[in-house]
Amino acid sequence: MARSSGGVLCPSLLLCLCFLLVALAVRLKPCDLAGQLYILDVPKSELPLWLCIAEFESRFNTHAVGQANADGSRDYGLFQISDRFWCSPPNQTDYYAFNECNVNCTRLLSDDITMAVQCARVIRKQQGWTAWSVYGQYCNGTLDAAGIDECFQAGNETSTSITSCAESESELADCG
């Protein structure tokens, strides 16, 4: 890494790296996320809820890392999964991390949302939707399932890939 003569990283290099990381972050479009969730066997009837949580937790950003919580823990990925209970933090922490999903938190920051969905399913099974703080205020009972249907209608750019991926298991490797 570039260092100044004092052995400290150059501020301009750090700034450039920060901008690069922001540029690499992927913000999914709602229909793209719906398609990926559907391919991962999330029932259509649940898609509005999953999308609502992803929207209000991370703004559909697969690489989101939340600011430190009061206990020093952080939340990771599309569904903002806590390193206090659900994933293993990438660095040493002052608190015990339970890692109930048996995954390193950095794996939740992938454009491949498979691990994030698997972990979110574990959380939901153990605590229900209320594990996400946004559920009560934004996602409980006010969701429009009709909007999801539009993602799967013929003529929608996303629906073509969703339909072709979901209809043929042999093509699943090419999808996602």
Side-chain angles (χ1 to χ4, degrees), residues 32-45 47 113 121 152 162-163 165-167 172:
D32 291 338
L33 177 57
Q36 289 185 38
L37 290 167
Y38 186 70
I39 290 168
L40 292 170
D41 295 325
V42 172
K44 262 189 183 179
S45 61
L47 291 176
I113 65 167
R121 284 180 166 145
F152 295 90
I162 293 170
T163 304
C165 290
E167 288 177 349
L172 282 179

PDB file of all heavy atoms in Angstrom, residues 32-45 47 113 121 152 162-163 165-167 172:
ATOM      1  N   ASP A  32     -35.465  -7.234  -9.805  1.00  0.00           N
ATOM      2  CA  ASP A  32     -34.296  -8.117  -9.856  1.00  0.00           C
ATOM      3  C   ASP A  32     -34.180  -8.916  -8.562  1.00  0.00           C
ATOM      4  O   ASP A  32     -33.937 -10.120  -8.579  1.00  0.00           O
ATOM      5  CB  ASP A  32     -33.004  -7.320 -10.084  1.00  0.00           C
ATOM      6  CG  ASP A  32     -32.934  -6.706 -11.473  1.00  0.00           C
ATOM      7  OD1 ASP A  32     -33.626  -7.207 -12.385  1.00  0.00           O
ATOM      8  OD2 ASP A  32     -32.191  -5.726 -11.634  1.00  0.00           O
ATOM      9  N   LEU A  33     -34.371  -8.243  -7.433  1.00  0.00           N
ATOM     10  CA  LEU A  33     -34.327  -8.938  -6.151  1.00  0.00           C
ATOM     11  C   LEU A  33     -35.469  -9.943  -6.052  1.00  0.00           C
ATOM     12  O   LEU A  33     -35.267 -11.071  -5.601  1.00  0.00           O
ATOM     13  CB  LEU A  33     -34.376  -7.951  -4.985  1.00  0.00           C
ATOM     14  CG  LEU A  33     -34.399  -8.582  -3.590  1.00  0.00           C
ATOM     15  CD1 LEU A  33     -33.198  -9.493  -3.368  1.00  0.00           C
ATOM     16  CD2 LEU A  33     -34.450  -7.490  -2.521  1.00  0.00           C
ATOM     17  N   ALA A  34     -36.661  -9.564  -6.477  1.00  0.00           N
ATOM     18  CA  ALA A  34     -37.795 -10.496  -6.441  1.00  0.00           C
ATOM     19  C   ALA A  34     -37.469 -11.752  -7.240  1.00  0.00           C
ATOM     20  O   ALA A  34     -37.747 -12.873  -6.795  1.00  0.00           O
ATOM     21  CB  ALA A  34     -39.055  -9.819  -6.990  1.00  0.00           C
ATOM     22  N   GLY A  35     -36.861 -11.575  -8.390  1.00  0.00           N
ATOM     23  CA  GLY A  35     -36.494 -12.724  -9.221  1.00  0.00           C
ATOM     24  C   GLY A  35     -35.466 -13.616  -8.547  1.00  0.00           C
ATOM     25  O   GLY A  35     -35.586 -14.849  -8.567  1.00  0.00           O
ATOM     26  N   GLN A  36     -34.451 -12.999  -7.938  1.00  0.00           N
ATOM     27  CA  GLN A  36     -33.433 -13.792  -7.256  1.00  0.00           C
ATOM     28  C   GLN A  36     -34.022 -14.536  -6.064  1.00  0.00           C
ATOM     29  O   GLN A  36     -33.700 -15.705  -5.819  1.00  0.00           O
ATOM     30  CB  GLN A  36     -32.280 -12.900  -6.809  1.00  0.00           C
ATOM     31  CG  GLN A  36     -31.438 -12.401  -7.967  1.00  0.00           C
ATOM     32  CD  GLN A  36     -30.233 -11.623  -7.492  1.00  0.00           C
ATOM     33  OE1 GLN A  36     -29.620 -11.960  -6.488  1.00  0.00           O
ATOM     34  NE2 GLN A  36     -29.895 -10.570  -8.220  1.00  0.00           N
ATOM     35  N   LEU A  37     -34.891 -13.874  -5.311  1.00  0.00           N
ATOM     36  CA  LEU A  37     -35.531 -14.523  -4.167  1.00  0.00           C
ATOM     37  C   LEU A  37     -36.416 -15.681  -4.625  1.00  0.00           C
ATOM     38  O   LEU A  37     -36.424 -16.753  -4.015  1.00  0.00           O
ATOM     39  CB  LEU A  37     -36.354 -13.505  -3.371  1.00  0.00           C
ATOM     40  CG  LEU A  37     -35.553 -12.463  -2.598  1.00  0.00           C
ATOM     41  CD1 LEU A  37     -36.460 -11.344  -2.114  1.00  0.00           C
ATOM     42  CD2 LEU A  37     -34.804 -13.096  -1.441  1.00  0.00           C
ATOM     43  N   TYR A  38     -37.133 -15.474  -5.711  1.00  0.00           N
ATOM     44  CA  TYR A  38     -38.010 -16.512  -6.247  1.00  0.00           C
ATOM     45  C   TYR A  38     -37.198 -17.731  -6.675  1.00  0.00           C
ATOM     46  O   TYR A  38     -37.581 -18.872  -6.407  1.00  0.00           O
ATOM     47  CB  TYR A  38     -38.821 -15.941  -7.412  1.00  0.00           C
ATOM     48  CG  TYR A  38     -39.868 -16.879  -7.952  1.00  0.00           C
ATOM     49  CD1 TYR A  38     -41.006 -17.183  -7.214  1.00  0.00           C
ATOM     50  CD2 TYR A  38     -39.722 -17.457  -9.206  1.00  0.00           C
ATOM     51  CE1 TYR A  38     -41.984 -18.040  -7.716  1.00  0.00           C
ATOM     52  CE2 TYR A  38     -40.689 -18.311  -9.714  1.00  0.00           C
ATOM     53  CZ  TYR A  38     -41.805 -18.605  -8.960  1.00  0.00           C
ATOM     54  OH  TYR A  38     -42.762 -19.451  -9.457  1.00  0.00           O
ATOM     55  N   ILE A  39     -36.077 -17.503  -7.312  1.00  0.00           N
ATOM     56  CA  ILE A  39     -35.188 -18.594  -7.721  1.00  0.00           C
ATOM     57  C   ILE A  39     -34.657 -19.340  -6.491  1.00  0.00           C
ATOM     58  O   ILE A  39     -34.437 -20.552  -6.535  1.00  0.00           O
ATOM     59  CB  ILE A  39     -34.030 -18.059  -8.593  1.00  0.00           C
ATOM     60  CG1 ILE A  39     -34.576 -17.628  -9.956  1.00  0.00           C
ATOM     61  CG2 ILE A  39     -32.931 -19.094  -8.756  1.00  0.00           C
ATOM     62  CD1 ILE A  39     -33.612 -16.819 -10.789  1.00  0.00           C
ATOM     63  N   LEU A  40     -34.510 -18.626  -5.373  1.00  0.00           N
ATOM     64  CA  LEU A  40     -34.041 -19.243  -4.125  1.00  0.00           C
ATOM     65  C   LEU A  40     -35.205 -19.811  -3.305  1.00  0.00           C
ATOM     66  O   LEU A  40     -35.080 -20.029  -2.100  1.00  0.00           O
ATOM     67  CB  LEU A  40     -33.242 -18.222  -3.310  1.00  0.00           C
ATOM     68  CG  LEU A  40     -31.910 -17.805  -3.934  1.00  0.00           C
ATOM     69  CD1 LEU A  40     -31.306 -16.630  -3.185  1.00  0.00           C
ATOM     70  CD2 LEU A  40     -30.943 -18.982  -3.979  1.00  0.00           C
ATOM     71  N   ASP A  41     -36.322 -20.045  -3.964  1.00  0.00           N
ATOM     72  CA  ASP A  41     -37.496 -20.701  -3.376  1.00  0.00           C
ATOM     73  C   ASP A  41     -38.237 -19.885  -2.325  1.00  0.00           C
ATOM     74  O   ASP A  41     -38.893 -20.448  -1.447  1.00  0.00           O
ATOM     75  CB  ASP A  41     -37.135 -22.085  -2.809  1.00  0.00           C
ATOM     76  CG  ASP A  41     -36.708 -23.052  -3.892  1.00  0.00           C
ATOM     77  OD1 ASP A  41     -37.271 -22.973  -5.000  1.00  0.00           O
ATOM     78  OD2 ASP A  41     -35.812 -23.881  -3.633  1.00  0.00           O
ATOM     79  N   VAL A  42     -38.151 -18.577  -2.400  1.00  0.00           N
ATOM     80  CA  VAL A  42     -39.010 -17.744  -1.554  1.00  0.00           C
ATOM     81  C   VAL A  42     -40.369 -17.693  -2.253  1.00  0.00           C
ATOM     82  O   VAL A  42     -40.444 -17.332  -3.433  1.00  0.00           O
ATOM     83  CB  VAL A  42     -38.430 -16.322  -1.371  1.00  0.00           C
ATOM     84  CG1 VAL A  42     -39.427 -15.419  -0.670  1.00  0.00           C
ATOM     85  CG2 VAL A  42     -37.112 -16.383  -0.619  1.00  0.00           C
ATOM     86  N   PRO A  43     -41.431 -18.075  -1.553  1.00  0.00           N
ATOM     87  CA  PRO A  43     -42.763 -18.059  -2.189  1.00  0.00           C
ATOM     88  C   PRO A  43     -43.146 -16.652  -2.654  1.00  0.00           C
ATOM     89  O   PRO A  43     -42.836 -15.664  -1.991  1.00  0.00           O
ATOM     90  CB  PRO A  43     -43.698 -18.526  -1.061  1.00  0.00           C
ATOM     91  CG  PRO A  43     -42.819 -19.220  -0.075  1.00  0.00           C
ATOM     92  CD  PRO A  43     -41.481 -18.555  -0.170  1.00  0.00           C
ATOM     93  N   LYS A  44     -43.841 -16.592  -3.778  1.00  0.00           N
ATOM     94  CA  LYS A  44     -44.282 -15.300  -4.321  1.00  0.00           C
ATOM     95  C   LYS A  44     -45.060 -14.493  -3.300  1.00  0.00           C
ATOM     96  O   LYS A  44     -44.941 -13.278  -3.232  1.00  0.00           O
ATOM     97  CB  LYS A  44     -45.146 -15.504  -5.568  1.00  0.00           C
ATOM     98  CG  LYS A  44     -44.431 -15.356  -6.863  1.00  0.00           C
ATOM     99  CD  LYS A  44     -45.442 -15.369  -7.996  1.00  0.00           C
ATOM    100  CE  LYS A  44     -44.749 -15.300  -9.321  1.00  0.00           C
ATOM    101  NZ  LYS A  44     -45.684 -15.333 -10.451  1.00  0.00           N
ATOM    102  N   SER A  45     -45.857 -15.175  -2.487  1.00  0.00           N
ATOM    103  CA  SER A  45     -46.682 -14.476  -1.500  1.00  0.00           C
ATOM    104  C   SER A  45     -45.841 -13.758  -0.439  1.00  0.00           C
ATOM    105  O   SER A  45     -46.300 -12.813   0.187  1.00  0.00           O
ATOM    106  CB  SER A  45     -47.640 -15.452  -0.823  1.00  0.00           C
ATOM    107  OG  SER A  45     -46.903 -16.476  -0.141  1.00  0.00           O
ATOM    108  N   LEU A  47     -42.727 -12.432  -1.146  1.00  0.00           N
ATOM    109  CA  LEU A  47     -41.788 -11.505  -1.788  1.00  0.00           C
ATOM    110  C   LEU A  47     -41.973 -10.051  -1.360  1.00  0.00           C
ATOM    111  O   LEU A  47     -40.981  -9.366  -1.102  1.00  0.00           O
ATOM    112  CB  LEU A  47     -41.845 -11.636  -3.309  1.00  0.00           C
ATOM    113  CG  LEU A  47     -41.298 -12.949  -3.879  1.00  0.00           C
ATOM    114  CD1 LEU A  47     -41.492 -12.994  -5.391  1.00  0.00           C
ATOM    115  CD2 LEU A  47     -39.836 -13.150  -3.510  1.00  0.00           C
ATOM    116  N   ILE A 113     -26.794 -13.439  -3.381  1.00  0.00           N
ATOM    117  CA  ILE A 113     -27.519 -13.246  -2.125  1.00  0.00           C
ATOM    118  C   ILE A 113     -27.883 -14.555  -1.424  1.00  0.00           C
ATOM    119  O   ILE A 113     -28.571 -14.541  -0.408  1.00  0.00           O
ATOM    120  CB  ILE A 113     -28.788 -12.386  -2.341  1.00  0.00           C
ATOM    121  CG1 ILE A 113     -29.794 -13.114  -3.237  1.00  0.00           C
ATOM    122  CG2 ILE A 113     -28.415 -11.013  -2.885  1.00  0.00           C
ATOM    123  CD1 ILE A 113     -31.163 -12.479  -3.249  1.00  0.00           C
ATOM    124  N   ARG A 121     -33.416 -16.659   6.655  1.00  0.00           N
ATOM    125  CA  ARG A 121     -34.379 -17.726   6.962  1.00  0.00           C
ATOM    126  C   ARG A 121     -34.157 -18.284   8.368  1.00  0.00           C
ATOM    127  O   ARG A 121     -35.116 -18.596   9.071  1.00  0.00           O
ATOM    128  CB  ARG A 121     -34.272 -18.838   5.925  1.00  0.00           C
ATOM    129  CG  ARG A 121     -34.923 -18.486   4.613  1.00  0.00           C
ATOM    130  CD  ARG A 121     -34.800 -19.615   3.624  1.00  0.00           C
ATOM    131  NE  ARG A 121     -35.701 -19.411   2.509  1.00  0.00           N
ATOM    132  CZ  ARG A 121     -35.417 -19.754   1.263  1.00  0.00           C
ATOM    133  NH1 ARG A 121     -34.264 -20.334   0.972  1.00  0.00           N
ATOM    134  NH2 ARG A 121     -36.295 -19.536   0.306  1.00  0.00           N
ATOM    135  N   PHE A 152     -43.213 -10.304 -12.783  1.00  0.00           N
ATOM    136  CA  PHE A 152     -43.265 -11.611 -13.424  1.00  0.00           C
ATOM    137  C   PHE A 152     -44.114 -11.618 -14.695  1.00  0.00           C
ATOM    138  O   PHE A 152     -44.338 -12.673 -15.270  1.00  0.00           O
ATOM    139  CB  PHE A 152     -43.803 -12.645 -12.424  1.00  0.00           C
ATOM    140  CG  PHE A 152     -42.880 -12.852 -11.255  1.00  0.00           C
ATOM    141  CD1 PHE A 152     -43.004 -12.081 -10.112  1.00  0.00           C
ATOM    142  CD2 PHE A 152     -41.877 -13.807 -11.303  1.00  0.00           C
ATOM    143  CE1 PHE A 152     -42.153 -12.259  -9.039  1.00  0.00           C
ATOM    144  CE2 PHE A 152     -41.018 -13.990 -10.235  1.00  0.00           C
ATOM    145  CZ  PHE A 152     -41.149 -13.214  -9.097  1.00  0.00           C
ATOM    146  N   ILE A 162     -36.546 -14.222 -15.082  1.00  0.00           N
ATOM    147  CA  ILE A 162     -37.134 -14.896 -13.923  1.00  0.00           C
ATOM    148  C   ILE A 162     -37.887 -16.125 -14.388  1.00  0.00           C
ATOM    149  O   ILE A 162     -37.712 -17.217 -13.870  1.00  0.00           O
ATOM    150  CB  ILE A 162     -38.091 -13.964 -13.148  1.00  0.00           C
ATOM    151  CG1 ILE A 162     -37.317 -12.830 -12.510  1.00  0.00           C
ATOM    152  CG2 ILE A 162     -38.851 -14.746 -12.083  1.00  0.00           C
ATOM    153  CD1 ILE A 162     -38.204 -11.738 -11.946  1.00  0.00           C
ATOM    154  N   THR A 163     -38.723 -15.966 -15.407  1.00  0.00           N
ATOM    155  CA  THR A 163     -39.528 -17.071 -15.883  1.00  0.00           C
ATOM    156  C   THR A 163     -38.651 -18.180 -16.433  1.00  0.00           C
ATOM    157  O   THR A 163     -38.822 -19.339 -16.090  1.00  0.00           O
ATOM    158  CB  THR A 163     -40.511 -16.587 -16.969  1.00  0.00           C
ATOM    159  OG1 THR A 163     -41.280 -15.524 -16.419  1.00  0.00           O
ATOM    160  CG2 THR A 163     -41.423 -17.700 -17.420  1.00  0.00           C
ATOM    161  N   CYS A 165     -35.558 -18.858 -15.784  1.00  0.00           N
ATOM    162  CA  CYS A 165     -34.760 -19.476 -14.735  1.00  0.00           C
ATOM    163  C   CYS A 165     -35.623 -20.354 -13.845  1.00  0.00           C
ATOM    164  O   CYS A 165     -35.203 -21.431 -13.431  1.00  0.00           O
ATOM    165  CB  CYS A 165     -34.081 -18.412 -13.871  1.00  0.00           C
ATOM    166  SG  CYS A 165     -32.781 -17.523 -14.719  1.00  0.00           S
ATOM    167  N   ALA A 166     -36.820 -19.914 -13.542  1.00  0.00           N
ATOM    168  CA  ALA A 166     -37.663 -20.650 -12.607  1.00  0.00           C
ATOM    169  C   ALA A 166     -38.295 -21.875 -13.257  1.00  0.00           C
ATOM    170  O   ALA A 166     -38.612 -22.837 -12.580  1.00  0.00           O
ATOM    171  CB  ALA A 166     -38.754 -19.728 -12.072  1.00  0.00           C
ATOM    172  N   GLU A 167     -38.473 -21.858 -14.578  1.00  0.00           N
ATOM    173  CA  GLU A 167     -39.165 -22.958 -15.232  1.00  0.00           C
ATOM    174  C   GLU A 167     -38.282 -24.158 -15.496  1.00  0.00           C
ATOM    175  O   GLU A 167     -38.761 -25.252 -15.667  1.00  0.00           O
ATOM    176  CB  GLU A 167     -39.768 -22.474 -16.556  1.00  0.00           C
ATOM    177  CG  GLU A 167     -40.954 -21.560 -16.338  1.00  0.00           C
ATOM    178  CD  GLU A 167     -41.519 -21.023 -17.639  1.00  0.00           C
ATOM    179  OE1 GLU A 167     -40.868 -21.197 -18.694  1.00  0.00           O
ATOM    180  OE2 GLU A 167     -42.602 -20.429 -17.598  1.00  0.00           O
ATOM    181  N   LEU A 172     -30.784 -23.463 -13.998  1.00  0.00           N
ATOM    182  CA  LEU A 172     -30.557 -22.714 -12.762  1.00  0.00           C
ATOM    183  C   LEU A 172     -29.112 -22.307 -12.612  1.00  0.00           C
ATOM    184  O   LEU A 172     -28.818 -21.260 -12.066  1.00  0.00           O
ATOM    185  CB  LEU A 172     -31.013 -23.514 -11.545  1.00  0.00           C
ATOM    186  CG  LEU A 172     -32.506 -23.533 -11.304  1.00  0.00           C
ATOM    187  CD1 LEU A 172     -32.822 -24.381 -10.080  1.00  0.00           C
ATOM    188  CD2 LEU A 172     -33.066 -22.153 -11.113  1.00  0.00           C
TER     189      LEU A 172
END
